[in-house]
Amino acid sequence: MSYITEYQASIDSPDTFWADKAKQLPWFKAPEKILSDDENGIKRWFADGEMNTCYMALDHHVAQGRGEQIALIYDSPVTDTKMQLTYAELLEKVARFAGLLQANGVSKGDRVVVYMPMISEAVIAMLAAARIGAVHSVVFGGFSANELAVRIDDAQPKMLITASCGIEINRIIEYKPMIDRAIEIATHKPSKVVLLQRQQCIASMHEGRDIDWAEAVKTANKAECVSVSGTDPLYILYTSGTTGKPKGVVRDNGGHAVALKYSMSAVYNMQPGDVFWAASDVGWVVGHSYIVYAPLLHGCTTIVYEGKPVRTPDAGAFWRVIEEYKVKAIFAAPTAFRAIRKEDPDAKLLAKYDLSCLESVFMAGERLDPPTYEWTKQITGKPVIDHWWQTETGWAIASNMIGIERLPTKPGSATKPVPGFNIQILNASGQSLPPNTQGAIAIKLPLPPSCLATIWGDFDRFVSGYLTEYPGYYCSGDGGYIDEDGYLFVMGRTDDVINVAGHRLSTGEMEEILAAHDAVAECTVIGVYDSLKGQIPVGLTLLKDGANISEADLQAELVAMVRKEIGAVACLKQILVVERLPKTRSGKILRKLLRQIAENEEFIVPSTIDDPASIDEIKTIMQTNGLVKPSVE
Ligand code: COA
Ligand code: AMP
């Protein structure tokens, strides 16, 4: 089968194409409606199929004789712990925890928020929710109490599942005070909190509300799988949009399972029994899809790694894990490899390990810059595959589909559209652009399985955020071009979303926080180039008349505010005080222009600019402060 035949089939007759892929999964009742309209007029996949994602990921494999195979490997250099669970063992733990959820009143359609570090219990909590038809919403451990509270209020969970602490390099992050604070701030109060006590930190319990995980599972009954429909929600995952309020991307059960199962063979070339390692975090979409669901749906072994690419204990950590567990494919963010390269540029540590088990290195989460691509390829001697995707899709939109046909790679390109994704490059008026011309990357509707069909509780935001700008298309928010050979080059976001160390953040949200400071009259936050993290946010502020604060004090206060409100992961460390910012005559800050200056791109001065001299002024300030991307990466 060639890539082009497969791709064309998916575009010419999506129903037939995906009906065929759906047959790879054990449904309780196979879907007959493959693509149909929902009550909002949005195309949905497998609406009348009946299924359970946890059944497909665990019970089915045990029933098929895979019970003794390792399903999950937990490797934690930060606690010096290693542990493995077979499919049968993982199923037992998940069924029991699901019983605990049921005994505490959680049932089909109820939400549970999971705020956990990278431990096997995070995976157990997610699968247990799926088992009883509940909807999980995992919040990344690097987010603050405030961010957690925002998500609690939006998802309205019955229960919160957490651990006593997370562990960063040489630092214990106590979760419980954050949980208590989040519940205090939130208007909605989850009735129960399940707490996993970790020996590194024993947290206090809130009488009548908190349940001790270890104690409660001892007496819990095992829960059976609850049947859900293909379009019932599996999870909500919040992601940054252009405003302060995160968007709850809703993932359905059926389309998600079908797309992920297909991707394991088609995108990653994995066979059941192989070991797959996504070195991400369960708090991000990569973690949801490729630490938890896809490897298990496909009968592979997955790795939950509680550590970093460097300093846990050194820049050889990735190579050690690959050798130790015979990893066939690793998937990580380019930042991780830049971090390794920074500490071990000649890859001396790699020489200690045998990577013969490794077939490919996959990267996503941010643009894979050609130098990082070349370096990783050279030191590992393996194909490095850049693939582009988003929380909204749950799987790759463009990739080299090595399980179908390995195409030649081009540095800087995510190769070609994945089957099901009809990618077009559009200009501002929605016309398709010719090859090698940069524009907005849009996907012609209908979207393939797994992609979002709404924002939790806010269908209008889904329509206005994704479907309105280019009627008939999903607007990705990324810009780029397709070359003469059909290769896609994703160049970066065209909105106020930035990618910091592979973490998606909203500059709009940071601006709202800065603007709340007494001394700040106006401000903007832009993402600027960073050789390690890809981008980092920098705040540009104008002070109110008469504000009496030094630049250093202002910076310290604003940095602390952002860290408190969003979390350490925001990484806002630099604030500049400027005399003025380029604006339109109606007073809007020209953010796009600032982004283009930071990216060292050509730009056209908008005719609506208030004072053209402000551009040179800000450009000089940005250059002086090292905020303009160097010409050569
Ligand atoms: N819980 C609590 N705090 C966290 C956290 C978590 N899960 N993850 C990150 N943080 C904190 C870090 O400790 C750091 O705090 P500090 O400012 O006090 O040092 C801050 O958030 C910023 O973290 P990060 O940007 O990750 O920087 P780092 O120096 O800790 O690590 C890398 C740098 C490159 C090693 C790391 O960012 C990395 O591995 N990136 C890959 C990201 C990834 O896999 N993304 C998923 C998409 S595929
Ligand atoms: P997230 O939703 O957190 O997965 O972030 C999605 C965003 O990350 C995309 O909109 C892109 O801006 C960026 N991204 C992800 N993968 C790639 C890639 N391979 N190349 C370029 N940008 C990417």
Side-chain angles (χ1 to χ4, degrees), residues 493-540:
R493 300 285 307 194
T494 54
D495 56 12
D496 297 331
V497 168
I498 56 171
N499 258 286
V500 181
H503 307 140
R504 176 166 160 181
L505 300 166
S506 159
T507 53
E509 182 174 13
M510 294 185 214
E511 282 174 14
E512 285 175 24
I513 296 167
L514 302 195
H517 192 284
D518 282 346
V520 174
E522 276 184 89
C523 64
T524 188
V525 174
I526 52 168
V528 303
Y529 170 78
D530 182 79
S531 62
L532 174 64
K533 299 191 178 188
Q535 280 185 303
I536 45 165
V538 171
L540 304 175

Side-chain angles (χ1 to χ4, degrees), residues 480-494:
Y481 64 94
I482 294 178
D483 77 1
E484 63 287 356
D485 298 321
Y487 278 61
L488 177 71
F489 290 75
V490 181
M491 302 310 289
R493 300 285 307 194
T494 54

Side-chain angles (χ1 to χ4, degrees), residues 239-240 284-286 334 363-368 386-392 397-398 412-414 476-479 489-493 497-499 502-505:
T239 191
S240 300
W284 304 113
V285 67
V286 172
M363 297 210 208
E366 55 177 322
R367 182 167 172 266
L368 172 55
D386 179 14
H387 58 334
W388 170 59
W389 53 300
Q390 303 187 318
T391 304
E392 288 83 346
I397 312 166
S413 169
S476 73
D478 279 300
F489 290 75
V490 181
M491 302 310 289
R493 300 285 307 194
V497 168
I498 56 171
N499 258 286
H503 307 140
R504 176 166 160 181
L505 300 166

Side-chain angles (χ1 to χ4, degrees), residues 209-230:
R209 186 197 70 187
D210 296 356
I211 300 166
D212 182 282
W213 179 308
E215 276 304 309
V217 285
K218 279 186 200 156
T219 51
N221 293 320
K222 289 199 263 179
E224 292 302 323
C225 291
V226 170
S227 181
V228 299
S229 92

Side-chain angles (χ1 to χ4, degrees), residues 57-59 61-62 65-74 83-95 120 123-124 127 296 299-302:
L58 298 178
D59 303 61
H61 297 306
V62 174
R66 209 171 272 288
E68 296 313 303
Q69 184 198 305
I70 301 300
L72 183 152
I73 295 168
Y74 166 62
M83 189 269 298
Q84 307 197 343
L85 293 172
T86 63
Y87 268 93
E89 287 166 339
L90 183 58
L91 171 57
E92 151 81 25
K93 285 183 185 294
V94 167
S120 54
V123 179
I124 291 169
L127 289 164
L296 299 178
C300 291
T301 300
T302 188

Side-chain angles (χ1 to χ4, degrees), residues 6-14 17 418-423:
E6 178 87 347
Y7 178 73
Q8 211 48 57
S10 77
I11 300 300
D12 293 345
S13 29
F17 184 87
V418 163
F421 290 100
N422 186 345
I423 301 178

Side-chain angles (χ1 to χ4, degrees), residues 22 24-31 45-57 59-60 108 129-134 224-234 251-261 293 297 449:
Q24 304 298 314
L25 286 167
W27 298 78
F28 296 149
K29 178 183 160 286
W45 295 96
F46 316 118
D48 66 348
E50 286 171 27
M51 60 170 297
N52 181 282
T53 298
C54 177
Y55 175 85
M56 291 174 167
D59 303 61
H60 171 68
K108 184 174 171 179
R131 187 169 190 83
I132 59 169
E224 292 302 323
C225 291
V226 170
S227 181
V228 299
S229 92
T231 48
D232 277 336
L234 169 68
R251 187 84 59 222
D252 62 9
N253 273 274
H256 174 252
V258 172
L260 293 199
K261 167 83 179 142
Y293 288 108
L297 285 165

